Amino acid sequence: MSLLTLAMWATGVVAVPLCVCHTLWLFLGCSLKAAGTVLGPRQTGAPDPRIPRVGPGEPSHHAYWSRQMWRDALSAARVALHTIWFRLTVVWLKGSVARLFQGRRPETGRPGENGFTRTVMRVAAPGTAVGAALGAGLAALAMSVVLAVFGLLCGAVWLLAMAAVGVLRGAERLWALTRGIRMKCPHPGCYRPFPLAVHRCPDCGVPHGDLRPGPRGVLWHVCVCGQRLVTTSFAGRGRLATRCPHCDQQLPDVVGSTRVVHVPLVGGTSSGKTMLMAAVVAGLQSWSRRSPLDVEYASAADRQDGGALHQQVQQAGWAHKTQGGQPRAFMLVVRHGRRRRLLYLYDPMGESLRDAGSVREQQYLAHADGVVLVADVLAEPQVRRGLRGADAERADAARPADQGPTDTYQRLTGELAALTGRRGRMPVAAVVTKRDVLDQISSLPVPGARIDRWLTDIGLGALVRGLGHDFGAARYWAVSARAATGAGALDSEQRRAAEPVLWVLARSGLRVGALAAEAAAPDALGPRGSTAVSDPSGR
C-alpha cells in the first residue's frame, strides 16, 4: 500500500465519522438557529428595526405577508448559508484545523503533551478539514432544501392572501353592483363620484384613503397608532367617519353601504321648490308615523338644516329664497323593510336654470336618478293672459316664478341629456305647486284626477308631450306646500306632498309603491283632485 493511499484512508477514517456524527449536525443546527433568530420576534415591547416605518401616503403598515415575509425569508436564507460558511472557514479551517496542523489542541490551542500526541494531531488535521468541509456541504444542501420548502410555503401564503384579497374585493364590488351602490359627493363644487371614501382612524383621526383588502391587510389594516381598522363593509367599515377623497368634506355614515338616489328639484325662482322640499320632508316623516317607512337625517348637518327650515316655515309661513351657488344635497336615510336608500335632495337657485351655460354647471344633474319638475303654472304667459280681475290679483299675490315650467323644461332637457346620457330612462315627477291659490282662481278649469290633462286644457300640452317623449316615465301632481307645512299643517297634505319622491324611490327598487298608491287613492284626494298620474302602471 502506497503512502498516498494510506494518507487517504487515514483522512477518510477521520472525515467520515466526524461528518456523520458531528459536523453535519453542528453546521445544520447553527444555520437553523441563525435563521430562526432572523425570523423570530425581538424583545417584546421594543421596536423591531427590521420593520420599515410607515412612509408618506397611506398611514398604515404593510401586511407581513406582502413584503416583510419575503425580506425575512431572504434574510434567513442569507444568514443561514453565511453562518455555515463562517463556521467552516473561520471556526474550523482557520481555527481548529490550523491548530491541529501545528500540533495544538483545537479547542484551547495548547500544544500536545509529547511528540506522539502532536503527530497524531497533525495526521488527523487533513481528515478534520475534509470532515468539516463535507459536513458544511451537506448541511448547506439540507438547509437549501429547507429554505426551498420554506419559500414554497411563503409563496402559498402569499397566493392565499392575494386570493382572499381578490375574493373580498370582488364580493364587495358585486354586492355594491347588485344593490346599485355608487358613491358620489353631496357637497357644492364637488359632486364627484369616487370608488372608496377616506376613512378616519377613531383613535388618532388619521385619514386612510385605501381602507380595503390589499397589501396592507386582508381583514384589517394597522394604523400608525396601532389601531386595527377593518377593511370591508361586511365587517363594519361603515362605522368609521368618512370624508370625500376629492374635497375632504364630511360624508354621511351610510355612504358606501346604501344606494344613493339623487333627486334634484328643478324650477324657476319663486316656483316653490324650497317649500315643496320642506313639505316632502314633512310628508316622509308623516308616512313614517303611520307605516313601516322609516326616515331619519343622514347627518347632524342635515338635522340642523331640516330644523332650521322647519322653524323658518313655522314662523314666517314660507321659506326664504334659496341663496348661494351650487346646492349641497339635503340627505335623508329612507328605510322600508330590509331595504334602505340614501336620498339626496337638491334645491338649486332658480337663477341656475336661466340659460344652458348655468344648467351645464349644475354637475349634480349628471347623477340624477329622477327629476322633480316644480311647475308654477301662474308664471306661464298664456295662463296669465287668461286671468281677469280678482283672479289676476290673486295670481300676482302668489308671487309667480320668474320663468314658467315650459321655459324651465326647455333649458333643462337638452343639457340633462348631455350630462347624464340616460335621460330616456329617467323618471320625471311634474309637481304643480301653489294649488291652494289655483283652487281660488275661477278662470282656470278645476284640477281633476288627471293633472296632465288639466295642464293640456290650460295651454301646456306641449310641456306634457315633451315630458312624455323625453323621459322614461312621467307622472303629475298638484300640491299645496303651504297646507303641508307650517302651523296647522295637515297630515294628508304632507303625505300627498311626499308622493313624488316616494314614486322616484319606488322606481329605484325601494318597495314604497304601495304608499304612493295609497296616497293617490280617490278617498285620499283633496276636494279639487290634488293628485293625478300619467303613468298608469304606477311604477
Side-chain angles (χ1 to χ4, degrees), residues 78-147:
R78 183 170 57 251
V79 169
L81 297 177
H82 180 266
T83 298
I84 294 176
W85 176 255
F86 178 82
R87 287 271 180 172
L88 174 64
T89 56
V90 176
V91 177
W92 281 85
L93 298 182
K94 293 182 180 180
S96 299
V97 173
R99 295 190 189 101
L100 288 173
F101 273 116
Q102 296 172 3
R104 298 174 178 273
R105 295 184 179 277
E107 298 86 358
T108 62
R110 295 177 59 186
E113 289 80 0
N114 49 53
F116 175 76
T117 303
R118 289 191 290 272
T119 301
V120 171
M121 290 179 180
R122 293 189 178 95
V123 170
T128 302
V130 173
L134 187 59
L138 293 176
L141 180 61
M143 195 63 197
S144 298
V145 174
V146 171
L147 292 172

Side-chain angles (χ1 to χ4, degrees), residues 370-438:
V371 174
V372 175
L373 178 63
V374 183
D376 182 4
V377 298
L378 297 177
E380 283 290 337
Q382 62 267 41
V383 174
R384 295 299 301 274
R385 284 194 295 266
L387 302 181
R388 295 292 184 270
D391 287 343
E393 294 177 1
R394 292 188 184 96
D396 290 336
R399 295 183 298 175
D402 61 345
Q403 64 181 10
T406 302
D407 289 341
T408 301
Y409 158 73
Q410 290 174 348
R411 290 185 174 92
L412 171 69
T413 182
E415 297 305 321
L416 190 62
L419 287 170
T420 66
R422 51 185 173 84
R423 187 190 62 190
R425 302 191 303 272
M426 188 183 302
V428 58
V431 181
V432 176
T433 55
K434 304 179 182 179
R435 196 203 69 213
D436 52 321
V437 178
L438 295 174

Side-chain angles (χ1 to χ4, degrees), residues 23 41 108 245 249 251 298 307 315 318 331 422 429 440 477 506 518:
T23 56
T108 62
Q249 296 193 68
L251 298 172
Q315 293 177 351
W318 64 82
M331 295 173 285
R422 51 185 173 84
Q440 302 173 24
W477 289 263
E518 180 181 343

Side-chain angles (χ1 to χ4, degrees), residues 169-187:
R169 283 195 181 188
E172 194 164 38
R173 179 60 177 163
L174 180 63
W175 177 77
L177 287 175
T178 55
R179 295 172 67 94
I181 297 174
R182 297 177 180 87
M183 292 176 283
K184 300 176 181 70
C185 181
H187 295 287

